[in-house]
């Protein structure tokens, strides 16, 4: 069901599946996917309601995990960032036979209190009838956090004059997106890396007990001078950390 972008060819090493975060797409991971594909096949997906994947009426983590399960042919390693990290955790917990090693980038299996609806409002406020170039749209996205406007514009289809995001459903399901389902499932016993930005507070020390309950073989690492968008801020360091873990 999900749109996929494949890099490299199958090797003796497991294929790596990459799941992006909220408002992202498989294209955002192009550079990292290509670099990691020197050793293994890498498959990046557009999550439902994002990119070229189908628009659906709901957006819950059990559904996102099942979406990923349908992409996997056999047993793959999985990397997910933020929303994609939560979906990857649900995938590992509900379909452990499909997951080898798991990398969770800057997110924990806990509910958060923040919201992203202000960013949806900012995208909705762009008058797409007056947008002939990305520079036109960028001028209408002033006031956002540094780098966010450029990130959002990667999901703007200039030719069609629309966002490649199902903003209505993402807004309606925001409580589920920032939350995490209350699950009662056996833990995922596979090797798991929680890789965080040292400047981010998304994976706090007080969350580690819950992480260890669900992922008893979890290990933790932080990238210096990186925040929540660690893969964009420190791409080479992020790639090196992921590569080292997958090859252990």
């Amino acid at each position: 069901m999900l749109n996929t972008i494949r890099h490299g060819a199958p090797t003796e090493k497991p294929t790596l599946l990459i799941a992006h975060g909220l408002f992202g797409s498989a294209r955002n991971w192009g550079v990292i996917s290509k670099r990691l594909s020197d050793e293994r096949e890498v498959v990046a997906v557009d999550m439902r309601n994002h990119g070229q994947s189908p628009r659906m009426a709901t957006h819950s983590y059990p559904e996102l995990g099942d979406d990923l399960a349908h992409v996997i042919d056999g047993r793959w390693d999985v990397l997910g960032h933020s929303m994609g990290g939560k979906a990857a955790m649900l995938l590992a917990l509900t379909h452990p036979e499909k997951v080898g090693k798991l990398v969770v980038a800057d997110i924990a299996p806990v509910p958060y209190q923040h919201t992203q609806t202000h960013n949806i409002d900012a995208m909705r406020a762009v008058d797409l009838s007056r947008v002939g170039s990305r520079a036109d749209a960028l001028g209408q996205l002033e006031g956002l956090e540094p780098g966010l406007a450029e990130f959002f514009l990667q999901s703007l289809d200039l030719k069609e004059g629309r966002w490649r995001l199902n903003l209505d459903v993402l807004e309606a399901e925001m409580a589920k997106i920032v939350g995490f389902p209350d699950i009662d499932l056996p833990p995922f016993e596979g090797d798991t890396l929680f890789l965080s930005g040292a400047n981010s507070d998304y994976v706090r020390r007080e969350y580690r007990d819950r992480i260890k309950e669900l992922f008893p073989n979890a290990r933790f690492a932080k990238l210096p001078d990186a925040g929540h968008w660690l893969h964009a801020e420190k791409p080479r360091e992020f790639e090196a950390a992921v590569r080292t873990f997958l090859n252990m």
Side-chain angles (χ1 to χ4, degrees), residues 91-103:
L91 165 68
L93 291 166
T94 55
H95 300 278
E97 74 285 355
K98 288 182 172 284
V99 181
K101 291 188 174 184
L102 174 65
V103 181

Side-chain angles (χ1 to χ4, degrees), residues 11 23-24 45 48 70-71 95 103 108 122 136-137 149 170 190 213 228-229:
T11 70
F23 306 136
V45 302
R48 65 167 60 197
H70 283 95
V71 175
H95 300 278
V103 181
D136 295 336
L170 294 177
E213 287 177 4
H228 182 60
W229 304 95

Side-chain angles (χ1 to χ4, degrees), residues 74-85:
R75 187 175 186 179
W76 294 2
D77 294 337
V78 180
L79 161 62
H81 171 249
S82 198
M83 178 192 77

Side-chain angles (χ1 to χ4, degrees), residues 161-215:
R162 67 181 185 91
W163 294 101
R164 296 190 187 97
L165 299 163
N166 191 344
L167 296 178
D168 290 344
V169 168
L170 294 177
E171 180 182 48
E173 300 279 75
M174 188 58 66
K176 294 178 183 176
I177 294 170
V178 300
F180 194 77
D182 185 12
I183 53 177
D184 183 16
L185 293 168
F188 174 68
E189 301 287 350
D191 291 337
T192 306
L193 173 65
F194 281 79
L195 181 59
S196 307
N199 298 336
S200 171
D201 65 351
Y202 273 68
V203 185
R204 299 178 180 176
R205 184 163 292 276
E206 57 263 34
Y207 299 158
R208 290 196 176 187
D209 287 345
R210 181 55 174 162
I211 290 171
K212 282 291 192 177
E213 287 177 4
L214 296 175
F215 304 94

Side-chain angles (χ1 to χ4, degrees), residues 2-23:
L2 298 183
N3 180 59
T4 62
I5 299 178
R6 292 177 179 264
H7 301 268
T11 70
E12 74 281 359
K13 296 183 178 182
T15 296
L16 174 64
L17 176 69
I18 297 181
H20 64 77
L22 182 62
F23 306 136

